[in-house]
Amino acid sequence: MPRKFIQRFMPDHELIKRQKALRIFGNVLYNPNLWVLNRRSASGAFAVGLFMCFVPLPSQMIMAAGLAIMFGVNLPLSVALVWISNPVTMPIMFYLAYKLGAWIMHIPAQPFHFELSWEYLVSQMSTIGPPFLLGCAICAVIFSALGYFGIRALWRYSVVRSWQKRKLKIKLNPFAKKDAS
């Protein structure tokens, strides 16, 4: 069940292999293990993708692809999960990460006002930078762990439920022909 559900939303691996940004990885993209979808690869991909969601850098997808290759987990799923932090959700996620970091560091949260300029970013990094980066790191670790163990548990639950249904089907009709599948 989880495999079929996840595969409905995954992009075609041939399309991903042709992406110009991923050419830096060379022939390693042809490793078949990066395209397999099983419990280990899916849970690892969730951990990588959710971790990279909280990295406040513009090249999250490329870094997620690199980590997926390094850990040998599902590449398309890792890259797709990075899009949880999109232009709509990113301000909320990063603001909450900043609030968490400020709370942990016992620093009062600064009032929010934003200017799109380099000078503003440089000046604010000395005041909001440490709690923001701490909050991002904590959220990245927590959400990647939740994603990893959550997908593993969900996958296991689905497999156990499938086996129970199969047992019940056999118990109710023991003389039925067995499928070839």
Side-chain angles (χ1 to χ4, degrees), residues 80-180:
L81 282 166
V82 169
W83 278 96
I84 290 173
S85 65
N86 57 57
V88 174
T89 60
M90 195 178 291
I92 298 164
M93 291 170 57
F94 286 163
Y95 180 70
L96 293 175
Y98 165 70
K99 294 283 276 188
L100 175 67
W103 178 71
I104 288 176
M105 293 178 74
H106 303 291
I107 297 173
Q110 303 290 323
F112 184 73
H113 65 282
F114 181 74
E115 296 173 26
L116 189 57
S117 69
W118 184 251
E119 294 80 23
Y120 171 78
L121 290 175
V122 170
S123 69
Q124 290 297 311
M125 283 314 278
S126 63
T127 57
I128 67 168
F132 171 65
L133 294 175
L134 176 64
C136 285
I138 290 171
C139 287
V141 170
I142 288 173
F143 282 101
S144 66
L146 285 174
Y148 179 82
F149 291 114
I151 291 299
R152 286 189 75 86
L154 192 67
W155 201 288
R156 172 113 175 113
Y157 170 76
S158 176
V159 168
V160 168
R161 201 171 116 219
S162 172
W163 276 98
Q164 288 172 344
K165 282 182 181 179
R166 186 179 293 168
K167 268 192 202 175
L168 183 62
K169 187 177 176 181
I170 291 171
K171 187 184 247 185
L172 292 175
N173 194 358
F175 300 110
K177 281 186 159 182
K178 293 184 180 181
D179 293 358

